[in-house]
């Protein structure tokens, strides 16, 4: 699949969501309910200020698709819809190839099957060997960095890598 296509056809939905997990679910509900087309990117964005929350954005492959999606969103009650992106560093939940990133695969396969441009390993300056095995945990959330979709990974058992973001994080202060 290769490099991600950055598009100017974007809109933001602010539904007042307070956490990433709820924003992920919102994006998946929107994708199913609106029958979003192939090539759509759905991202989460942290909104700071008086009312911290997580907004979601949709980037679509064309102006007609954007206009049609904006109309459907307005009538569906997902929240406030505005044009453009809230920032340039969204965390991608919906992107081309995302459903195929399950199980274990090599870094090269992960990049070839999806819109992810590259993989980085936290704490190392060099990119991972393309043949390094990636255990996806069925939860791959790359982030936009300088117009590239980049997946941060961490070393795991047996010389494998896992995406940095844990699919089932322990809530803060869970043990006290």
């Amino acid at each position: 699949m290769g490099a991600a296509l950055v598009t100017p056809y974007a809109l933001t939905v602010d539904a007042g969501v307070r956490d990433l997990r709820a924003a992920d679910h919102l994006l998946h509900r929107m994708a199913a309910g609106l029958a979003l087309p192939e090539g759509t990117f759905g991202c989460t964005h942290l909104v700071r200020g008086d009312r911290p929350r997580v907004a979601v954005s949709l980037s679509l492959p064309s102006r007609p698709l954007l206009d049609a999606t904006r109309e459907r969103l307005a009538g569906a009650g997902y929240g406030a819809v505005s044009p453009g992106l809230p920032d340039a560093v969204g965390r991608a939940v919906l992107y081309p190839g995302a459903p195929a990133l399950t199980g274990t695969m090599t870094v090269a396969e992960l990049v070839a099957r999806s819109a992810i441009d590259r993989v980085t390993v936290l704490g190392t300056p060099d990119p991972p060997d393309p043949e390094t095995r990636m255990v996806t945990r069925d939860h791959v959330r790359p982030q936009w960095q300088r117009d590239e979709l980049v997946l941060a990974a961490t070393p795991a058992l047996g010389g494998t890598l896992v995406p940095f973001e844990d699919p089932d994080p322990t809530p803060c202060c869970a043990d006290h």
Side-chain angles (χ1 to χ4, degrees):
M1 197 165 282
L5 173 66
V6 179
T7 173
Y9 309 114
L11 52 85
T12 296
V13 178
D14 188 346
V17 175
R18 307 261 323 172
D19 63 70
L20 289 174
R21 183 174 284 204
D24 285 7
H25 290 299
L26 174 63
L27 280 167
H28 285 291
R29 280 195 319 273
M30 291 167 68
L34 300 172
L36 295 175
E38 181 68 28
T40 297
F41 287 83
C43 297
T44 61
H45 303 265
L46 301 178
V47 178
R48 295 171 183 15
D50 293 343
R51 196 174 51 96
R53 60 202 181 282
V54 182
V56 299
S57 68
L58 296 173
S59 296
L60 295 117
S62 72
R63 168 67 66 192
L65 289 171
L66 177 75
D67 293 340
T69 301
R70 183 184 356 229
E71 287 177 24
R72 289 183 290 168
L73 280 168
Y78 285 108
V81 179
S82 58
L85 299 171
D87 58 46
V89 293
R91 171 185 159 273
V93 176
L94 307 175
Y95 52 94
L101 303 182
T102 61
T104 301
M105 63 190 64
T106 66
V107 169
E109 290 169 328
L110 181 134
V111 171
R113 292 179 187 176
S114 72
I116 295 172
D117 293 298
R118 62 187 173 91
V119 175
T120 62
V121 180
L122 296 178
T124 64
D126 299 320
D129 183 293
E131 295 307 310
T132 302
R133 296 176 53 78
M134 171 78 69
V135 180
T136 68
R137 301 181 297 197
D138 301 343
H139 187 83
V140 180
R141 301 293 189 263
Q143 249 186 306
W144 288 105
Q145 295 178 6
R146 293 180 207 85
D147 294 329
E148 286 187 307
L149 199 53
V150 179
L151 178 66
T154 59
L157 292 175
T160 64
L161 296 173
V162 295
F164 173 72
E165 186 175 325
D166 188 332
D168 296 306
T170 302
C172 178
C173 306
D175 61 344
H176 37 253

